[in-house]
Amino acid sequence: MQENHRTRFEAAMDKREALKTAEAAGQVADNMDVRLALMARVHSGEITLAQAQAELKKIKSGAKRAGLVTRAQAFSRG
């Protein structure tokens, strides 16, 4: 009798899909669009990398107050 178990690969794929779904639903505070916008500001010279990292940290810490989750939380819940 062989039980039906997910492989690690299948579990990781499910987690990535859950992350994409949460981002599309607007439930993720530090979604990829926010991160790309921060990096665009770094590349244009508007802010430094350290400033971008500090801003991302603020966004992530304010996620719970805003009723959102971080990318890491969305991934781990997947």
Side-chain angles (χ1 to χ4, degrees), residues 39-70:
M39 288 312 298
R41 290 174 61 197
V42 169
H43 291 302
S44 70
E46 185 180 335
I47 59 175
T48 65
L49 180 58
Q51 289 170 321
Q53 289 170 334
E55 195 167 327
L56 182 61
K57 190 173 182 178
K58 271 193 254 181
I59 291 168
K60 289 167 79 172
S61 67
K64 189 172 185 176
R65 286 190 301 270
L68 302 171
V69 295
T70 64

Side-chain angles (χ1 to χ4, degrees), residues 7-64:
T7 64
R8 285 185 183 186
F9 176 76
E10 291 166 336
M13 293 298 292
D14 290 344
K15 285 177 176 277
R16 281 190 208 101
E17 191 58 41
L19 176 60
K20 284 182 187 177
T21 303
E23 281 188 347
Q27 299 170 344
V28 181
D30 60 329
N31 62 35
M32 195 52 81
D33 293 335
V34 170
R35 290 169 177 259
L36 290 174
L38 278 174
M39 288 312 298
R41 290 174 61 197
V42 169
H43 291 302
S44 70
E46 185 180 335
I47 59 175
T48 65
L49 180 58
Q51 289 170 321
Q53 289 170 334
E55 195 167 327
L56 182 61
K57 190 173 182 178
K58 271 193 254 181
I59 291 168
K60 289 167 79 172
S61 67
K64 189 172 185 176

